[in-house]
Amino acid sequence: MPATIMVNGVRHTVDVDDDTPLLWVLRDVLHLTGTKFGCGVALCGACTVHIDGVPRRSCITPIAAVGDSQVRTIEALHEVPVGRALQKAWLDNEVVQCGYCQSGQLMSAAALLAGNAAPSDDDIDGIMSGNICRCGTYERIRGAIKLATRQVGGRGDAS
Ligand code: FES
Ligand code: FES
């Protein structure tokens, strides 16, 4: 049954079943393949997007539950200041290894900084603990989040 969703500021009409996960709509219908499939059961965070600014696992979010909410994916993360700062910090800190988990990592980090301008290490670990990285980039991710925090005016040196 057709549904309309707002993704990155654009309204789309998609002809999918109500229980189709948002992840499949993003990747297979809208061809926004920056959002990754990892576990499919809300355990790895690879599929993280923002729904009305809140990080959500798109693999377990049925399209019918999205309604009129605003979905943001990695493809539009640069449109918000914390997203730009994080992406620059990711590059400056050379965070990425294979890269598979990284769009989900960035979306979780952006939601953290949007709500907390000066996160402590515990804040960072708490938010980021749901994003699994098989390459073990956690230390670099934490460093990049602190760097981005400084760039957007937060303390960035919390411990
Ligand atoms: S693919 Fe959604 S949390 Fe792993
Ligand atoms: S960079 Fe390879 S899984 Fe995280």
Side-chain angles (χ1 to χ4, degrees), residues 14-87:
V14 293
D15 191 7
V16 297
D17 292 339
D18 286 352
D19 60 355
T20 304
L22 174 59
L23 178 59
W24 306 136
V25 175
L26 294 173
R27 289 184 55 85
D28 292 353
V29 180
L30 302 180
H31 307 298
L32 294 169
T33 55
T35 304
K36 303 303 184 191
F37 170 78
C39 64
V41 289
L43 293 175
C44 75
C47 67
T48 303
V49 300
H50 294 177
I51 299 180
D52 288 339
V54 178
R56 298 290 188 203
R57 304 306 192 226
S58 61
C59 68
I60 59 158
T61 303
I63 187 69
V66 176
D68 293 329
S69 296
Q70 301 284 336
V71 177
R72 186 182 298 278
T73 70
I74 189 71
E75 284 85 357
L77 187 62
H78 67 282
E79 294 175 2
V80 293
V82 294
R84 285 194 297 277
L86 283 164
Q87 287 176 318

